[in-house]
Amino acid sequence: MKRLVYLLLTLGMFGIIRAQNIDDAHWEKQLQNSQNPVEKTETLLQMAFFYHPKDSSLGEKYLLAAEKQNVLSENDFLPRFLFIKGNIQVLYGNKYTSFLYFKSMKTASEAVHSDSLLAWAWLKMGESIEEQGKYQSAIHYFLKAEKMFHINKDEVGKIDANDFLSATYRKIGKYQEAFERYMVGLKKAYERKDITNIEIIYWNISYFLFEDIKVIPYAIYFQLPSLQISYFQRKWYGVSINYATLGEKLTAIGDTANAARCFQLSLTYIRKAPLNNYLCSCLTRIAVFYFLRKNYAGALSLLEEV
């Protein structure tokens, strides 16, 4: 689910997905309202990506329809088509196949002299190769993408490249570089007044400081803004997960009384969320805490709901 959300956001930044409310009715309306063959082709590409995870045959049908239109040839149809094909493979976890599509996208982007598409091809190649554990190669691709995004004055692309670099540096133990990248991303998010990204970066920094650096007080310090943003945006699942992970950090430093309060608040807010995607995770975290406190009855009662 997280991967799908990220890809939808990426497609939106890329200019392929522009919808706010993504559902069947939206696509039917958008297809009907397509004013010309170019818009219709772009919509078919969007629909192919959206429907493929639900029904691969339907997704392929829309891909074929978009390919038959072939009116975007003068407007970089092939790189965009390969971008969609690659992202569909990402959804299915086919990291090797996705890399080949994004590599083909790079070649196609160079052929039509599209620096904007080429930058995204480098970024997506980096993402696919990073999934294969080839971190140094991924960093090379991310840096190339970042440089091109800078030349193209694509701020959204620069933020994405920076986010990937921070995560990859963390994975290979270059913690100083990772932290510097996180702070660059946070500064840019504040400049853009991008509240959602600010929340995510604070969360990522907190996770990084807790899991990798083991400086729990600083991890708590960076998590509090993420909790506050989730609360003021009434994103109850975000509030719940923040409280649950805050409870884990407090447990780690021996503050079990406040940890218990955080876990209880986590449970309260997850039950307020319209979509309880994180309910099992929340209940499990609290159950573990109860087991550690030898509250076996409480732990078992929570696990019965999982």
Side-chain angles (χ1 to χ4, degrees):
M1 183 63 182
K2 287 172 69 178
R3 173 170 283 177
L4 176 58
V5 170
Y6 164 73
L7 287 172
L8 289 172
L9 289 171
T10 301
L11 291 168
M13 296 166 183
F14 187 69
I16 291 182
I17 295 288
R18 294 188 297 270
Q20 295 295 322
N21 298 311
I22 303 175
D23 54 25
D24 292 352
H26 160 78
W27 292 122
E28 291 175 8
K29 183 178 180 180
Q30 185 158 315
L31 195 59
Q32 291 172 359
N33 292 340
S34 297
Q35 298 297 314
N36 54 60
V38 172
E39 287 186 7
K40 185 175 181 181
T41 302
E42 289 180 340
T43 300
L44 288 167
L45 285 174
Q46 297 170 24
M47 294 173 74
F49 176 80
F50 178 76
Y51 283 107
H52 217 289
K54 300 180 176 183
D55 184 338
S56 59
S57 60
L58 188 58
E60 287 297 321
K61 172 187 171 183
Y62 289 127
L63 272 177
L64 182 61
E67 195 170 14
K68 283 184 176 178
Q69 286 277 110
N70 201 26
V71 294
L72 283 178
S73 56
E74 296 180 2
N75 291 315
D76 314 323
F77 170 76
L78 182 57
R80 290 173 179 270
F81 180 76
L82 292 168
F83 181 79
I84 291 291
K85 292 281 284 186
N87 274 297
I88 287 171
Q89 294 303 313
V90 171
L91 282 176
Y92 292 129
N94 298 331
K95 49 197 173 186
Y96 300 101
T97 307
S98 67
F99 178 80
L100 294 176
Y101 275 117
F102 294 131
K103 187 176 181 181
S104 297
M105 177 191 174
K106 179 185 81 71
T107 302
S109 300
E110 291 171 333
V112 296
H113 308 290
S114 175
D115 288 343
S116 61
L117 293 170
L118 181 57
W120 282 99
W122 282 119
L123 185 77
K124 299 302 291 185
M125 286 170 65
E127 181 187 5
S128 294
I129 210 78
E130 194 268 350
E131 287 284 327
Q132 299 175 36
K134 299 176 182 178
Y135 299 123
Q136 292 298 340
S137 295
I139 288 170
H140 170 72
Y141 292 139
F142 292 145
L143 288 172
K144 288 184 75 70
E146 184 180 51
K147 183 178 180 179
M148 293 202 70
F149 285 134
H150 178 73
I151 294 171
N152 300 337
K153 297 181 179 179
D154 185 340
E155 291 300 317
V156 172
K158 283 170 63 178
I159 290 171
D160 266 16
N162 185 75
D163 288 347
F164 276 118
L165 281 164
S166 59
T168 308
Y169 281 134
R170 184 183 67 79
K171 288 178 181 178
I172 62 174
K174 290 191 174 183
Y175 297 138
Q176 182 65 36
E177 291 89 339
F179 186 73
E180 289 172 358
R181 285 284 179 173
Y182 280 129
M183 297 310 293
V184 167
L186 190 60
K187 182 175 180 291
K188 289 183 178 295
Y190 269 110
E191 289 172 352
R192 290 169 54 84
K193 299 180 180 178
D194 185 346
I195 300 300
T196 298
N197 208 30
I198 290 171
E199 177 195 355
I200 291 170
I201 295 172
Y202 272 123
W203 168 275
N204 287 338
I205 294 173
S206 176
Y207 181 87
F208 162 69
L209 293 173
F210 180 58
E211 293 290 337
D212 297 311
I213 310 300
K214 312 298 183 185
V215 284
I216 301 172
Y218 285 104
I220 293 172
Y221 173 81
F222 277 98
Q223 183 163 0
L224 292 177
S226 177
L227 172 60
Q228 290 173 326
I229 293 170
S230 292
Y231 181 83
F232 285 115
Q233 289 189 322
R234 302 177 69 82
K235 293 165 61 175
W236 304 131
Y237 60 87
V239 173
S240 175
I241 292 297
N242 265 291
Y243 270 125
T245 54
L246 193 56
E248 290 176 335
K249 294 177 177 68
L250 291 168
T251 300
I253 60 175
D255 190 351
T256 54
N258 282 317
R261 294 188 184 95
C262 285
F263 283 125
Q264 188 55 53
L265 285 166
S266 175
L267 191 58
T268 298
Y269 281 104
I270 199 63
R271 297 193 188 283
K272 294 178 66 173
L275 294 174
N276 289 337
N277 297 358
Y278 300 98
L279 179 59
C280 290
S281 174
C282 174
L283 293 173
T284 303
R285 289 173 190 269
I286 301 171
V288 168
F289 175 75
Y290 282 169
F291 268 119
L292 292 174
R293 300 292 295 163
K294 298 183 179 180
N295 182 357
Y296 303 123
L300 290 172
S301 67
L302 289 174
L303 292 175
E304 285 176 356
E305 295 187 48
V306 176

